[in-house]
Amino acid sequence: MASTHTSSHTEAAKMEQVITEFFYESLFIILESRSPFVSSRNYSGEQTVSSPSSSSSSSSSVRPRDKWFNLALRECPSALENLDLCRQSNFESVVVDVILEQKPLDWGPASFSPKRDLFGNLSSKDKNSLFWNSDQEESGREIKSEKIIERWLVLHESRKGRDCNLGNRRSSCYSLSALYKKLILLWRSLYVTVRLLPAYNIFRDLNSSGQICAFKLVPRVYSFVEPLTRKEEVDMQRFWFTPVDTSCGRLCVSVLYYSSISDTSSESSTPMSPQFIPNYVGSPLADPLRRFPSLPISHGSPSSLPFSRRHGWSYDHYKASPPLVSFSPSPTHSESHALVMNLDEYCPSPNFSASPSPSPSLPIHIPRSHLSEALLRPESAPVDIPGPKVANSPALSDKHKLPPSPPLKITRTGTSRTDNFRVPAKTGATIEKLFSFEKEDRRKYSGVKISSCGSPRISCSRSSSRSFQDDFDDSEFPCPFDVEDDEMTNPGSRVESYDKREHPSDINEAGLFVNRKSQDAAVGALVRMLKKAPPLCQDISLNFSEASRPEMWSNSIQKQSQISEAATVEHAAALSSASSRLVASKTAADALEELRGYKVMKNLLLSEGGKAYTSANV
Amino acid sequence: MNCEVCQLKELEVEHFEIREVLLCILHTIVFHRALGLVRPKDVDLELFEITYVQCGDVELEEKIDEKIDHFISWVEKHPNKKSQICLSFYEVKSKQPSWFTNKTERLYWEQWYVNLNVTQHPKHHSSKSHHTKVIVDPGESATEERSSRRAMVEASLREVLFQIIKFVNEKKDHVPPISEGVIYFPYEITIPSSSDSAFGMDMIKRMLHNGHPTMLS
């Protein structure tokens, strides 16, 4: 009696264990073939197989769980996790939805979760589901589209009543063995079937492909779920596995599936492997800046420029119009045009000012700071060259020292002035220093230079004329304002020299003077002369005793050639007051006129002196 | 015990498809009848988008490969003929020896008939022709035709596999009980012999051994 009860209890326990394993095995087989990267299937598509009976050590590799239904499979943690879910439902029903998720556009690798997505019904009707996945946030997104491509239903239809507990020992044993055999056959069929359905192809592609696809296969396990709509069921096919009768009911497995989901599974995104994007926004290749029109081209290599990127203010010496210098940050095209215009008109530099006129070619380096300053003050005054300090010393005013080297400037037009100037030797040496400095700058900024082939507007053209150095090295190049020793002691000689200069014997040479000498250089020379000249206030009387205004004095002398010196002095004194007023408002032109007057006066005095002597001798 | 017979749907295959089709079908059947402890092995077909399962037994694989090779050789000798491969599962029982019978007998309890119609494609026919092969540009139409035909064969093969699954699920009672240490039931693969008469003799011999008439379902 007790033994029968014990055996029946044992049988019931065994039956319960079989049913438990039935649920576990079904979950295992389904989830193992629907959860990418969790499957026991390797990426090559084939498993390393060792038959349990082929080797002696095979028995040691057989796990206890493998003996259930004689199907040696790897562990599936997800199945074990969901076993509790089945237990919650008293092992009555388990639903596994295989969902094909289309990833949103903003998904990233981090969101590609290979793990199984476990969570209860979104409608929260399922109170038995306890597992919530971290992908819940993903599933809450409306932008993610999901589609149930398979629904597996594992049921244990219990047959309640007294029949479950009744049964003799023999029949229960028979039924248990038969049940076990039938369950084995069922799992064989289930194992093959899950690999024949279309969803398995997606699973296989996801597992084997190294690409990150736009779709994700997510199995979800429920203990209870709402049935599918009729529309969905119409499109799906159902496959029933033959139920296996148990002593307390029957075990059923069925599947609803789409017979064709190849359209969704064949779509694949581009590989997410790192790719070099050559034409990103802002890249040099994407949208190179337009070139500057017609600016001098530097013969230096672009690579030597500190800012030699094409999208910057670099240039291409193959192009016709590169910028004069390199600037950063890169300005806009309009700014570049404005810059060009400014460069055309004013090309200041710390050392040189470049004009578009064809004047002595000069490799010009215009640093950014200077250029910007120059642009702000287009009428910038010439920058003095910090020449020898001896030139600025007060002692020079009445001394015979050479004037400082003039600021070298290239005027816009070469025919502006007929003034001539001569650069003394020391000035030429200073200029050489400047050129050497310029050369260094040229080497430093080798990309910035002016060539003859580039700019018609920039006067710094080598081919147009001789170089500045050549010009200023010419010691014979006369300068009307050049104060030589002889001229300092004898102003007349100075005037004479000026007179000579003014009326050069060679017309061609005069033309050269005119072309080469700039108005500014002449003014500078005059200023230098004025500095050296004695103060007009002190010498005015003396000067005007000797010479007056050219016009007045010449007339007076001609008319009153016989007037004595006293008359001359009186006239000079009369004019002294007037001249004092004139001193304040004297300009360079006035100074030049005065100089002419001195010369005329000198001539007159000489002539008068000659006549007086002659008359005296007579 | 009745012998359950299953006539599978006829498949129209080409010569180069024979091996994969037979491997898929035969291994699927054997897997359903390997009720011992097995480690399943997934195999992807190269010609079709189908994955079948093997038992993972090396000896079984070699035997099946050998039979398939014999069948292919027979097909080459008998082109454009419908052929049949029989996979039988039996039990070995000892019996009283007699003049015409052995001590042991095979009790076939299940037979599977794989029906194949091996067709020769016109392009692949003139492999031994002495004439100059006519170079035919397949073009898109031939490619599409080939792909459609391949899809049809794949669908048919999938139907055959589902047929096997249904048969296995519907009929379970005739399956003998599982023996300890036995992985799969004894089986036999029968291919057509060089002559039809010999094939017929094989069938008669089987009937004599079985002691039961062949049942066609």
Side-chain angles (χ1 to χ4, degrees):
Chain A
M1 194 71 174
S3 62
T4 306
H5 178 74
T6 304
S7 63
S8 62
H9 180 73
T10 305
E11 293 295 329
K14 289 182 180 178
M15 183 63 68
E16 184 177 349
Q17 190 178 10
V18 168
I19 293 172
T20 302
E21 292 299 327
F22 162 79
F23 277 94
Y24 173 78
E25 200 73 16
S26 60
L27 284 175
F28 185 91
I29 292 172
I30 295 168
L31 297 176
E32 185 262 348
S33 62
R34 295 295 184 267
S35 298
F37 308 107
V38 182
S39 170
S40 59
R41 179 192 175 95
N42 56 13
Y43 292 104
S44 62
E46 294 185 0
Q47 292 178 339
T48 54
V49 175
S50 61
S51 175
S53 60
S54 59
S55 59
S56 59
S57 61
S58 61
S59 60
S60 60
S61 63
V62 177
R63 298 167 302 174
R65 175 158 294 283
D66 296 340
K67 294 183 179 179
W68 281 101
F69 311 113
N70 291 333
L71 203 60
L73 300 174
R74 294 186 184 181
E75 290 290 341
C76 184
S78 59
L80 284 172
E81 292 173 1
N82 286 278
L83 199 60
D84 293 338
L85 185 67
C86 302
R87 200 169 283 119
Q88 292 288 333
S89 65
N90 296 323
F91 295 102
E92 291 183 354
S93 65
V94 172
V95 180
V96 182
D97 281 345
V98 179
I99 296 171
L100 190 66
E101 287 184 0
Q102 182 177 6
K103 294 191 177 78
L105 295 177
D106 59 343
W107 75 276
S111 64
F112 181 71
S113 172
K115 60 182 178 180
R116 184 175 43 81
D117 192 1
L118 297 176
F119 68 99
N121 197 339
L122 291 175
S123 61
S124 69
K125 289 185 179 180
D126 184 10
K127 297 180 181 178
N128 295 325
S129 61
L130 299 177
F131 295 94
W132 293 86
N133 193 281
S134 61
D135 295 333
Q136 177 67 32
E137 295 178 0
E138 286 186 16
S139 60
R141 293 181 187 172
E142 296 180 358
I143 55 178
K144 188 178 60 176
S145 61
E146 298 180 349
K147 183 178 182 180
I148 300 174
I149 59 174
E150 282 182 1
R151 171 165 284 184
W152 295 86
L153 183 63
V154 182
L155 294 174
H156 177 225
E157 296 177 357
S158 59
R159 185 171 53 246
K160 294 182 179 179
R162 294 181 297 173
D163 298 336
C164 295
N165 298 326
L166 294 178
N168 52 18
R169 184 178 179 183
R170 190 179 292 177
S171 61
S172 60
C173 294
Y174 175 77
S175 63
L176 195 60
S177 62
L179 173 64
Y180 189 71
K181 182 186 71 177
K182 291 178 181 179
L183 287 177
I184 292 175
L185 293 170
L186 176 62
W187 302 139
R188 296 292 193 272
S189 299
L190 181 61
Y191 195 88
V192 173
T193 304
V194 295
R195 281 152 179 78
L196 291 179
L197 297 179
Y200 184 77
N201 294 332
I202 301 174
F203 160 78
R204 183 183 57 187
D205 295 340
L206 289 175
N207 258 356
S208 59
S209 173
Q211 299 180 357
I212 301 177
C213 300
F215 295 93
K216 188 170 71 170
L217 211 59
V218 178
R220 296 175 182 169
V221 182
Y222 312 93
S223 61
F224 174 79
V225 71
E226 291 183 352
L228 297 172
T229 62
R230 281 198 174 183
K231 182 181 179 181
E232 290 175 332
E233 286 195 10
V234 167
D235 297 334
M236 301 177 81
Q237 294 185 4
R238 183 180 292 272
F239 183 82
W240 287 93
F241 291 88
T242 303
V244 176
D245 293 328
T246 63
S247 58
C248 299
R250 64 177 189 174
L251 299 171
C252 307
V253 179
S254 65
V255 59
L256 274 169
Y257 67 98
Y258 281 99
S259 59
S260 175
I261 53 175
S262 59
D263 294 336
T264 54
S265 62
S266 61
E267 295 176 11
S268 62
S269 63
T270 55
M272 293 297 293
S273 59
Q275 289 184 345
F276 179 71
I277 303 173
N279 298 324
Y280 59 89
V281 176
S283 72
L285 303 176
D287 187 15
L289 293 179
R290 299 178 189 179
R291 305 298 174 202
F292 291 114
S294 67
L295 276 178
I297 300 170
S298 170
H299 289 304
S301 62
S303 60
S304 59
L305 268 181
F307 309 101
S308 59
R309 291 186 300 169
R310 291 181 60 185
H311 70 284
W313 282 79
S314 61
Y315 64 95
D316 188 357
H317 57 271
Y318 297 109
K319 301 285 183 180
S321 58
L324 190 60
V325 291
S326 61
F327 302 92
S328 65
S330 58
T332 59
H333 182 58
S334 59
E335 293 178 12
S336 67
H337 272 293
L339 186 62
V340 167
M341 289 166 58
N342 290 331
L343 285 175
D344 290 344
E345 297 174 357
Y346 323 99
C347 291
S349 71
N351 305 319
F352 309 103
S353 62
S355 71
S357 63
S359 40
S361 65
L362 181 67
I364 293 179
H365 159 62
I366 304 178
R368 179 180 56 207
S369 58
H370 291 280
L371 186 59
S372 59
E373 291 175 358
L375 291 174
L376 291 175
R377 42 184 182 88
E379 298 289 341
S380 59
V383 179
D384 289 337
I385 300 170
K389 291 187 180 180
V390 68
N392 295 326
S393 62
L396 192 63
S397 61
D398 54 350
K399 291 291 181 282
H400 322 302
K401 293 184 180 177
L402 297 174
S405 53
L408 302 174
K409 292 186 181 180
I410 304 171
T411 58
R412 184 193 302 268
T413 59
T415 59
S416 59
R417 301 295 294 257
T418 58
D419 298 333
N420 300 322
F421 61 94
R422 185 177 68 182
V423 178
K426 279 201 171 182
T427 307
T430 308
I431 293 170
E432 274 185 297
K433 288 181 182 178
L434 295 173
F435 274 102
S436 62
F437 172 74
E438 179 58 24
K439 282 178 184 176
E440 289 175 359
D441 282 348
R442 252 181 294 151
R443 281 193 293 273
K444 185 179 179 182
Y445 303 95
S446 59
V448 184
K449 67 176 180 179
I450 301 164
S451 67
S452 60
C453 62
S455 166
R457 285 186 277 175
I458 299 297
S459 62
C460 306
S461 171
R462 296 181 185 276
S463 61
S464 60
S465 62
R466 297 189 305 167
S467 63
F468 248 136
Q469 187 172 1
D470 296 334
D471 297 336
F472 287 98
D473 282 341
D474 189 2
S475 58
E476 298 178 358
F477 186 78
C479 174
F481 300 106
D482 185 17
V483 180
E484 294 180 351
D485 293 341
D486 296 337
E487 290 182 355
M488 287 300 293
T489 54
N490 189 2
S493 63
R494 181 176 56 182
V495 176
E496 185 182 6
S497 65
Y498 174 79
D499 186 33
K500 286 180 181 178
R501 299 293 181 272
E502 188 180 9
H503 305 284
S505 58
D506 192 356
I507 297 175
N508 294 331
E509 191 177 1
L512 287 174
F513 285 143
V514 167
N515 291 329
R516 294 167 184 173
K517 181 170 60 76
S518 65
Q519 185 178 4
D520 293 336
V523 170
L526 181 61
V527 169
R528 193 169 61 253
M529 186 201 71
L530 291 173
K531 284 183 181 179
K532 299 171 204 169
L536 293 174
C537 297
Q538 297 176 3
D539 300 335
I540 282 174
S541 59
L542 188 64
N543 293 334
F544 279 92
S545 62
E546 295 178 352
S548 62
R549 284 195 164 189
E551 296 178 348
M552 295 175 61
W553 279 104
S554 60
N555 294 329
S556 64
I557 290 171
Q558 288 177 0
K559 291 181 181 179
Q560 302 176 3
S561 58
Q562 296 180 352
I563 298 172
S564 60
E565 293 182 1
T568 307
V569 173
E570 289 178 0
H571 190 68
L575 293 172
S576 63
S577 61
S579 64
S580 63
R581 290 194 294 273
L582 291 173
V583 168
S585 61
K586 272 192 182 292
T587 59
D590 295 337
L592 284 172
E593 289 180 3
E594 188 177 358
L595 185 62
R596 290 199 199 95
Y598 290 153
K599 196 166 68 175
V600 170
M601 193 161 46
K602 170 191 168 186
N603 294 332
L604 287 173
L605 288 174
L606 287 173
S607 62
E608 284 294 327
K611 289 180 181 178
Y613 179 76
T614 303
S615 62
N617 292 333
V618 172
Chain B
M1 183 182 297
N2 295 330
C3 178
E4 299 288 344
V5 177
C6 180
Q7 290 281 352
L8 297 177
K9 178 186 174 182
E10 184 177 279
L11 293 174
E12 188 172 322
V13 297
E14 291 189 25
H15 186 271
F16 66 96
E17 296 172 339
I18 294 174
R19 178 174 296 277
E20 284 216 328
V21 168
L22 287 180
L23 281 172
C24 179
I25 294 174
L26 294 177
H27 277 285
T28 300
I29 296 171
V30 173
F31 177 74
H32 281 93
R33 296 299 179 240
L35 303 186
L37 180 60
V38 296
R39 295 184 187 277
K41 175 184 174 184
D42 300 339
V43 179
D44 299 328
L45 293 178
E46 296 180 359
L47 300 176
F48 310 102
E49 290 291 323
I50 291 174
T51 301
Y52 71 95
V53 184
Q54 294 182 358
C55 298
D57 186 77
V58 179
E59 185 181 348
L60 176 65
E61 292 176 16
E62 290 177 355
K63 191 173 180 181
I64 291 176
D65 289 339
E66 181 185 352
K67 288 294 182 180
I68 292 174
D69 292 337
H70 293 165
F71 177 77
I72 293 174
S73 301
W74 183 88
V75 169
E76 290 176 352
K77 296 176 182 178
H78 301 84
N80 295 326
K81 276 191 174 181
K82 294 186 179 181
S83 56
Q84 195 177 58
I85 296 175
C86 182
L87 175 57
S88 305
F89 293 95
Y90 60 89
E91 285 184 294
V92 179
K93 286 187 176 181
S94 60
K95 65 184 291 185
Q96 201 72 283
S98 64
W99 289 101
F100 301 103
T101 60
N102 295 330
K103 293 180 179 181
T104 59
E105 64 175 346
R106 294 181 177 181
L107 296 176
Y108 292 91
W109 52 270
E110 189 173 85
Q111 290 178 331
W112 299 82
Y113 289 94
V114 183
N115 299 300
L116 295 180
N117 184 13
V118 182
T119 59
Q120 291 285 351
H121 202 269
K123 293 180 183 179
H124 305 282
H125 181 67
S126 60
S127 60
K128 295 183 181 179
S129 174
H130 295 286
H131 300 287
T132 304
K133 289 184 179 180
V134 179
I135 300 173
V136 179
D137 187 13
E140 294 183 0
S141 60
T143 307
E144 291 178 357
E145 182 182 353
R146 193 181 302 114
S147 62
S148 64
R149 187 200 153 278
R150 182 72 56 81
M152 288 176 58
V153 175
E154 181 179 326
S156 299
L157 180 58
R158 206 179 290 274
E159 286 183 21
V160 170
L161 296 177
F162 271 103
Q163 187 181 0
I164 295 171
I165 295 170
K166 287 179 182 178
F167 183 86
V168 169
N169 273 269
E170 291 173 357
K171 301 181 185 298
K172 298 175 184 172
D173 296 331
H174 68 285
V175 179
I178 303 170
S179 303
E180 191 68 25
V182 178
I183 299 175
Y184 46 86
F185 295 105
Y187 67 95
E188 184 181 71
I189 299 175
T190 307
I191 59 173
S193 58
S194 56
S195 61
D196 293 339
S197 60
F199 179 76
M201 285 300 295
D202 293 337
M203 292 297 293
I204 293 171
K205 287 179 182 178
R206 193 179 301 111
M207 289 172 64
L208 289 174
H209 282 289
N210 292 340
H212 299 281
T214 301
M215 295 176 62
L216 297 176
S217 62

